[in-house]
Amino acid sequence: MSSATPAENEAALAALVERRLDALAELTPLDATQRESLRPLAVASDFALDTLRRQPALLTSRHQMPVMPALSAADPEGAMAGLRRWRCAASTVLIARDVDGVDGVEATLLGSTRIAEQAIGAALVQAEAEFSPRFGALRDQDGRAQHLVVFALGKLGGGELNFSSDVDLVYAYARGGSSDGARSVDAEPYFVRLGQRLAQLLGDVTAEGFSHRVDLRLRPFGDSGRLALSFDAMEAYFQREGRDWERYAWLKARPVAGDLAAGEAMIDTLRPFIYRRYLDFTALDSLREMKAMISAEVERKDMRDDLKRGPGGIREVEFLVQAIQLIRGGREPALRRRGLLSALSALAAAGHLPEATAQRLAEAYRFLRRVENRVQMLRDAQEYALPADALDRLRVARGLGFTDAQALERQLQGHRDVVSAEFAAVLGERRKSAPDASPIASYWRALPEAGEARVLAEAGFADAEAADEALRRLAASALRRSLSERAQGWFDQIVPALILQAAASPSPDAGLVRVIALLTAIGRRSSYFALLAEQPAALERLAAICSGSALLAERLTEHPLLLDELLDVRAAGPLPEPSLLVADIAGVVPAHEDSEAALLALNERRHSLAFRIGMAWRSKRIDAVAATRALAQVAEAVLHAALALATREIERAHGRVADGGFAVLGYGSIGARELGFASDLDLVFVHGASASAVSDGPRPLDAGRYYLRLAQKLVALLDTATAAGKLYEVDVRLRPDGAKGLLVVGLDSFVAYQRERAWTWEHQALVRMRPLAGSPGLLRELDALRSEILQRPRDAAALAAEVAQMRERMRRELDRSDAAHFDLKQGEGGLVDLEFFLQQQVLQHSAACPSLLAPRHSADVLAALVTSQHLDPASAEGMRLAHRALAELSLGCTLDRRPRRVLRTQMEVDVSVWLRALPAAPSGSA
C-alpha cells in the first residue's frame, strides 16, 4: 500500500477526478452542472469514464439501458465488436444508476444478470446464423428443429450476477439428430462446435474488449467431459456419477438461452438429484469439504481479505443458505429458490432460521455484494478484495459514502463477523454426540471381537447379556460392513450415544431393541446416519421415543422419513394453528396432478403431523385432550383432501351430477374430536341427488351409482397402503341398517330412517355426529336434521332405561376389566360410561335447551350442561378430571402398543367418585 498521508490521498483523488473530467470534456463539452453530476461517477469508475469517452452519446442517457444492436452473420467481426460496445454501454449505465442512487444492490445484481442474458441470447442467435449456410438446421428423427440449451449456473443462474464476473455455462440438447444443410453433421459435433463459437463470441478479447468470460468447467466430467450432452446422457451422468458439489452447483441452474422450455423440463427431471425426498445431512459434510478446500487456498495465497472466499465472505453466506436448502428442499418446495436473498427469506418464513438471524445475514450479504461490485466497477476487473493501493481504496470507500477507507473497513469487518458466526453454527466442525473416552464408546469400538457385557449392566440394562448379544450382532452385521467409510464414521458415532441415552431412559432394554430395529431399517440410506450424527437433539429425541413409545418407534422403523420430525426445529415448539394445518394439507392434492403421488404426499403429511403430536404429548407440552383434538383436526383436513382427490378421479371418468351433492358425516371419536393415535374413522355417506339425476361425463352414471363410486374411491384412498403408510381405517357400520344397508344413502332415505326407524342408540350416536366434508348445502341440511332429532321430547325414565340396557349389553360383550385390571374404555366408570351419560343428558334436555346441540366433545358437553344448569359445577369438574385422566392413560396404552386396560393400582383417578356424583338415575344408566 502507498505510504502517502490521508491528506495527500485526498488531494490525489481530487486531482484525479479533475483530470478524468477534463479528458472527457476534450471530446464533448460539459457545462458546470454536467461536470458536477459526473463527479461521483469519476470517483467510482475509470471504466465508466473511459466508456463515456468512447461513446459520448451515453452522456445524455446514462440511466437508460441501450438497445442491443442487430448483429450480422455476414460480418462476424462486426458482430463481436457490436456486442462488446453494447456490453460496455450497458455496464456503464448500470454503474451510473448504482453510483447516482437510482438502483439498490439487488437491482444492480439483477441488471448484471439481464445484461449477461441478453448477450448470451444474441451471441447464440449469431452463432446459429453463422452455422446455417454451412450446416443448415439440426433436426431430430421426426424432422423437428433442435436448438442448443444454455444452462446458467452460479450467480447468473441465481439472478445475482456481480458486475465483472465470468458466466458459468453448461450446454445440452434435448434429442439427437443431424443437420439438414450441405454439410450434414450429427447432433453432438454440431452442438459442440456451436457451443465453442458461442464462447468465442462472448469471451474472446478484441480491440473492443470482451463481452463475458465463459467458464464451462461445471459441465459433467468437467474439463475432460464433452462440451455438449444430450438430455439422456446428462440424466444418466447425474444418476450414476453425480457428486454432492454438483447438487450445490445445479441448485441455481436455469436455462438462459436456446430452447428454454426444454431446459426447464430438464431442470424438473434433475430436481430429485438436487433435492432429496428426505432430510439430507450428507450435504453438510460435502459442503464442509468444499469450504475446507477454499479455506486452504485462501491461506496459501494470503487471500483472507477476499470478499468472496475469505472468512465471513460471500461464499460463506451462500454455503450456509444452500446447505439448509439442500437438506430440506426435498420436503419443502417453498425453499427451492435460486436467488440467495429469496431463499434466505423462505428459510426464515419456514422457521429454519430465526427472523433476526436471516435479517442480519441479508444485510451482511447486501453489503458484501455492494462492496464487491464497486471494487469491480473501478476498472471492470474480476477483483474480490479491497484495493491494496490506498488511493484506489479511498475511491471505493468514498464512492460508498464513507469518509475514509478505515470507516469502510470497520463496517465491512462487522458484517464479516456476523457471517462467520452464523456459518460456524451451521457448517462448523461437526459436533460429537458421545465422548470418545466413555465406557460405552470403548465397549462399542471393541465389538464384535471384544467388549464386556458388564459395561451394559453398569449402564443400567436389566438383561445385559441379551443387550450385549444384540449389539454384537449389529457390530458384525452386513449393514455395518456395507457402509462407506464416511457413513461408518457416522454410524460408530451415533450407536454409543444411543446406547447411553437408552440406558438413561425409563425402559433401557425395550428402548435398545427398538433402536437396533430402527438402525437396521434405515441402514440403506446413510443420510439418516448423517442426520443423527449432526444433531445431538435428534439423537436424544430418538432414544426417548424408542424407550417411551412402541407405536412411535414402530412408525419410525416402518417410515424413516419421520426421522425428519426429530430434527425439525418446529417440532419442539407449539403445534401449528388449525387454520395453517388445514391449509398445509389442503395444498397437497392441487400440487400433484398424479393421484398416486398426491396420495403418497398426503400420507407423508398426515403421519408427520401425527408423529409431531405424539412427541408433543410425550414431552408433556400438550395434554391428552389437546392431543386428541389435534389428531381429529389432522384427520378432518386429510378427509377433505382425500375427498377432493376422489372427486377429481371420479369426475375425470364420469363428469358431475348437477344437483344434490355428497356429504361425509363423522361419528364417534372423529365427530367428537376425541381421536386417538390408532383410531379408525366412523363415517356415513349421504347424497342429495334425485333418483333421475345422471352425471354429464363421457361415461355417465345415475346418481346412486355415481355417489357409490365416489364413496368407494374415498374409502379406498383412505385405506390404501403406500410407501408412507396408509391414512386411516374406515368403519361404515353406523350407516342406516348397519352392514346390511347401502354404503351411500339418499337424503330422503336418511331423513326417513332417522325420523321413523332409528333406535335410541342411533340417536345417541347423533350427539357426537358432525358433518365433516362435502357439499355445504347438504351438510347444513344434515346438521339441521340432527338438531331436529335430538330436540324431540323424550320420556326421561324410558330414555334412561334404554340407555342403561344398551350400556349393560356392551359391557357384557366388551368389558375386559377384572379384579386387578380396569378397562379404560368399557369398564364401569370408563370413557364409554361417560359418553353414554352425556348422550343421555343431551337427548333428555335439548328440547328445552337448544344450546346443548352445538358441542360434541365430552368436555364441551359438560361445560354446556353446567351453563344450562342441568349439572352442578362440582359434579362436572369431577367428570372432566376423570375424562382427562382416562384419556391420558388411554393414549399411553396406545403409544405403548398395550391393550387399553391398566392395573387398578396405576389409576390416578377414582372413577367411582364421578359415578357417585351423577344425578339420580336408574341403576346402570351412567
Side-chain angles (χ1 to χ4, degrees):
M1 296 181 67
S2 170
S3 59
T5 66
E8 290 172 335
N9 283 326
E10 288 285 354
L13 176 58
L16 172 69
V17 169
E18 295 306 321
R19 286 197 306 272
R20 299 291 290 165
L21 293 174
D22 287 344
L24 180 60
E26 290 176 1
L27 298 176
T28 182
L30 296 176
D31 60 32
T33 301
Q34 287 178 309
R35 190 178 182 97
E36 190 61 29
S37 69
L38 289 169
R39 196 174 299 279
L41 193 62
V43 171
S45 177
D46 291 345
F47 168 78
L49 267 290
D50 289 341
T51 304
L52 290 175
R53 289 185 66 200
R54 292 194 300 272
Q55 302 186 49
L58 288 172
L59 280 168
T60 58
S61 58
R62 68 176 189 269
H63 293 162
Q64 184 178 345
M65 277 291 169
V67 176
M68 172 72 72
L71 306 182
S72 170
D75 183 11
E77 290 185 4
M80 292 178 73
L83 184 62
R84 282 148 179 73
R85 283 193 295 271
W86 174 84
R87 201 281 294 186
C88 288
S91 297
T92 296
V93 169
L94 198 67
I95 297 171
R97 292 176 65 87
D98 180 24
V99 169
D100 294 343
V102 177
D103 289 338
V105 63
E106 290 169 70
T108 302
L109 296 173
L110 183 60
S112 291
T113 301
R114 294 290 179 256
I115 291 170
E117 289 171 350
Q118 290 185 64
I120 295 168
L124 180 58
V125 171
Q126 171 71 18
E128 288 177 332
E130 291 177 11
F131 272 40
S132 181
R134 287 179 289 166
F135 304 114
L138 199 289
R139 300 188 181 277
D140 65 13
Q141 293 179 343
D142 297 325
R144 291 172 296 189
Q146 298 296 300
H147 298 278
L148 186 68
V149 179
V150 181
F151 291 104
L153 280 65
K155 291 186 175 66
L156 177 58
E160 297 171 337
L161 191 67
N162 45 295
F163 179 78
S164 187
S165 174
D166 54 14
V167 289
D168 295 309
L169 303 181
V170 172
Y171 302 147
Y173 53 94
R175 288 174 293 276
S178 58
S179 64
D180 60 4
R183 294 176 54 191
S184 178
V185 292
D186 289 339
E188 183 182 334
Y190 176 90
F191 286 122
V192 165
R193 292 183 192 179
L194 187 66
Q196 289 170 334
R197 179 55 181 158
L198 174 61
Q200 290 173 348
L201 286 166
L202 292 168
D204 280 5
V205 178
T206 71
E208 298 288 344
F210 61 91
S211 175
H212 289 83
R213 310 172 193 89
V214 176
D215 190 337
L216 299 169
R217 292 175 297 173
L218 293 182
R219 68 186 184 272
F221 297 109
D223 285 336
S224 61
R226 289 172 286 176
L227 202 64
L229 285 177
S230 69
F231 284 3
D232 286 345
M234 184 174 282
E235 185 177 358
Y237 168 83
F238 285 116
Q239 286 179 350
R240 298 176 192 145
E241 308 284 345
R243 290 157 289 180
D244 285 335
W245 71 262
E246 289 174 300
R247 295 175 56 206
Y248 168 83
W250 279 82
L251 184 150
K252 291 176 176 286
R254 64 188 175 94
V256 292
D259 191 339
L260 300 182
E264 288 291 357
M266 186 60 191
I267 293 292
D268 287 341
T269 300
L270 295 181
R271 190 160 286 120
F273 165 72
I274 302 165
Y275 295 108
R276 306 296 161 83
R277 287 186 59 243
Y278 43 85
L279 286 188
D280 183 19
F281 276 79
T282 59
L284 289 186
D285 265 8
S286 298
L287 289 173
R288 285 193 188 101
E289 291 170 5
M290 290 171 63
K291 182 61 173 67
M293 292 171 60
I294 293 169
S295 297
E297 181 185 14
V298 166
E299 291 296 328
R300 187 172 66 253
K301 297 182 178 179
D302 192 20
M303 298 162 55
R304 294 187 62 81
D305 291 335
D306 192 292
L307 295 163
K308 180 179 179 180
R309 290 159 289 190
I314 295 164
R315 186 59 57 81
E316 287 192 357
V317 186
E318 293 172 340
F319 274 21
L320 186 156
V321 171
Q322 291 169 322
I324 304 175
Q325 285 183 280
L326 287 175
I327 290 167
R328 298 186 175 278
R331 303 295 305 279
E332 300 180 52
L335 304 183
R336 300 171 192 169
R337 309 288 182 89
R338 289 169 174 138
L340 186 134
L341 290 169
S342 174
L344 196 53
S345 296
L347 293 177
H352 299 308
L353 281 176
E355 188 66 43
T357 298
Q359 186 173 346
R360 287 194 301 271
L361 285 171
E363 290 173 359
Y365 182 75
R366 290 187 181 98
F367 189 83
L368 287 163
R369 296 303 307 273
R370 191 160 184 244
V371 175
E372 173 193 48
N373 268 344
R374 288 301 183 89
V375 168
Q376 296 181 351
M377 288 173 176
L378 192 62
R379 296 186 179 89
D380 193 21
Q382 199 171 10
E383 299 287 346
Y384 292 99
L386 290 176
D389 180 78
L391 178 58
D392 284 347
R393 188 172 287 221
L394 177 62
R395 292 179 69 183
V396 172
R398 191 61 56 79
L400 289 167
F402 292 93
T403 55
D404 53 39
Q406 290 72 32
L408 167 60
E409 291 162 14
R410 284 193 297 272
Q411 187 163 337
L412 178 59
Q413 190 58 50
H415 285 301
R416 297 185 80 144
D417 289 344
V418 167
V419 172
S420 290
E422 298 300 339
F423 178 83
V426 176
L427 282 162
E429 184 177 354
R430 182 154 43 91
R431 295 160 288 180
K432 294 183 178 180
S433 300
D436 289 342
S438 71
I440 288 292
S442 301
Y443 162 81
W444 174 253
R445 284 197 299 270
L447 295 181
E449 290 81 11
E452 298 181 14
R454 66 170 179 78
V455 176
L456 299 176
E458 292 168 359
F461 291 95
D463 191 346
E465 294 295 334
D468 177 66
E469 182 180 348
L471 288 167
R472 287 181 187 279
R473 286 198 301 270
L474 181 64
S477 65
L479 159 66
R480 188 181 182 219
R481 294 195 307 270
S482 66
L483 296 174
S484 67
E485 182 179 351
R486 184 167 64 169
Q488 192 168 119
W490 292 326
F491 187 78
D492 289 342
Q493 177 185 334
I494 65 177
V495 171
L498 286 170
I499 298 171
L500 279 171
Q501 289 165 5
S505 72
S507 305
D509 297 78
L512 182 63
V513 170
R514 294 167 190 160
V515 161
I516 292 173
L518 176 63
L519 291 174
T520 303
I522 67 175
R524 287 176 296 178
R525 206 177 286 287
S526 62
S527 61
Y528 290 126
F529 297 144
L531 180 157
L532 295 170
E534 289 285 348
Q535 298 293 328
L539 270 178
E540 292 173 12
R541 291 183 191 137
L542 176 61
I545 285 169
C546 287
S547 299
S549 173
L551 177 64
L552 294 182
E554 180 183 298
R555 295 274 168 86
L556 276 174
T557 302
E558 292 174 350
H559 309 295
L561 278 174
L562 292 174
L563 281 168
D564 297 359
E565 290 298 321
L566 295 177
L567 188 67
D568 197 319
V569 294
R570 298 164 295 185
L575 295 176
E577 289 292 326
S579 59
L580 296 177
L581 184 150
V582 170
D584 180 42
I585 294 176
V588 170
V589 173
H592 295 84
E593 186 63 24
D594 178 70
S595 295
E596 187 175 337
L599 185 59
L600 178 64
L602 198 56
N603 269 277
E604 290 177 354
R605 204 71 50 90
R606 172 260 196 270
H607 287 292
S608 67
L609 287 167
F611 191 83
R612 186 179 299 185
I613 294 167
M615 289 196 297
W617 180 77
R618 275 203 74 266
S619 61
K620 303 190 184 305
R621 287 182 282 120
I622 58 173
D623 63 16
V625 173
T628 55
R629 284 187 193 270
L631 288 167
Q633 289 163 346
V634 171
E636 288 177 52
V638 167
L639 186 63
H640 276 271
L643 179 58
L645 181 57
T647 301
R648 188 172 77 183
E649 292 197 17
I650 294 299
E651 288 182 351
R652 284 173 175 173
H654 305 292
R656 298 180 180 181
V657 174
D659 67 342
F662 180 75
V664 182
L665 308 180
Y667 283 71
S669 57
I670 181 62
R673 287 189 173 145
E674 297 181 42
L675 201 67
F677 284 102
S679 296
D680 54 17
L681 304 184
D682 293 307
L683 303 179
V684 170
F685 307 117
V686 180
H687 78 80
S690 63
S692 60
V694 177
S695 66
D696 60 4
R699 291 152 52 195
L701 294 173
D702 63 75
R705 285 194 297 161
Y706 180 91
Y707 288 116
L708 175 62
R709 294 270 180 93
L710 179 58
Q712 289 170 332
K713 173 59 69 174
L714 175 60
V715 171
L717 290 172
L718 292 170
D719 196 43
T720 295
T722 71
K726 65 171 150 181
L727 294 172
Y728 294 98
E729 299 279 356
V730 176
D731 189 337
V732 295
R733 291 175 295 175
L734 288 178
R735 66 188 186 269
D737 294 316
K740 296 178 182 178
L742 297 173
L743 180 62
V744 185
V745 184
L747 176 61
D748 292 342
S749 296
F750 187 79
V751 170
Y753 182 86
Q754 294 296 338
R755 288 174 176 169
E756 301 165 12
R757 296 168 48 211
W759 296 83
T760 298
W761 69 264
E762 290 177 292
H763 287 172
Q764 282 180 248
L766 286 177
V767 172
R768 292 161 71 86
M769 187 273 276
R770 195 157 43 86
L772 295 180
S775 307
L778 181 57
L779 293 176
R780 286 192 295 270
E781 285 190 67
L782 291 165
D783 200 31
L785 174 66
R786 170 186 176 272
S787 297
E788 172 199 319
I789 299 298
L790 294 183
Q791 286 183 288
R792 282 184 175 180
R794 290 176 171 84
D795 180 85
L799 173 65
E802 286 188 66
V803 171
Q805 183 180 12
M806 174 56 71
R807 182 69 195 104
E808 289 302 326
R809 176 183 170 188
M810 289 178 64
R811 185 176 289 118
R812 285 195 305 271
E813 294 177 0
L814 302 173
D815 187 2
R816 298 295 179 261
S817 301
D818 55 33
H821 298 87
F822 178 73
D823 188 320
L824 296 167
K825 184 175 182 180
Q826 299 291 347
E828 186 173 5
L831 288 166
V832 175
D833 271 356
L834 182 56
E835 291 170 11
F836 267 52
F837 166 72
L838 295 176
Q839 291 162 6
Q840 177 189 330
Q841 295 296 302
V842 172
L843 289 173
Q844 182 176 330
H845 299 298
S846 289
C849 189
S851 62
L852 296 176
L853 295 171
R856 272 81 163 180
H857 192 283
S858 297
D860 298 336
V861 176
L862 279 168
L865 287 170
V866 172
T867 302
S868 64
Q869 299 184 349
H870 291 102
L871 189 63
D872 68 90
S875 297
E877 180 64 8
M879 294 179 194
R880 188 187 68 80
L881 293 175
H883 174 262
R884 187 175 69 180
L886 292 168
E888 294 283 351
L889 289 167
S890 181
L891 279 190
C893 290
T894 302
L895 287 181
D896 207 28
R897 284 295 197 196
R898 291 183 287 111
R900 282 195 286 184
R901 66 176 195 158
V902 297
L903 289 169
R904 293 186 183 274
T905 56
Q906 294 177 327
M907 292 286 288
E908 296 180 0
V909 62
D910 184 357
V911 294
S912 66
V913 171
W914 80 262
L915 284 170
R916 287 196 300 272
L918 293 180
S923 175
S925 65

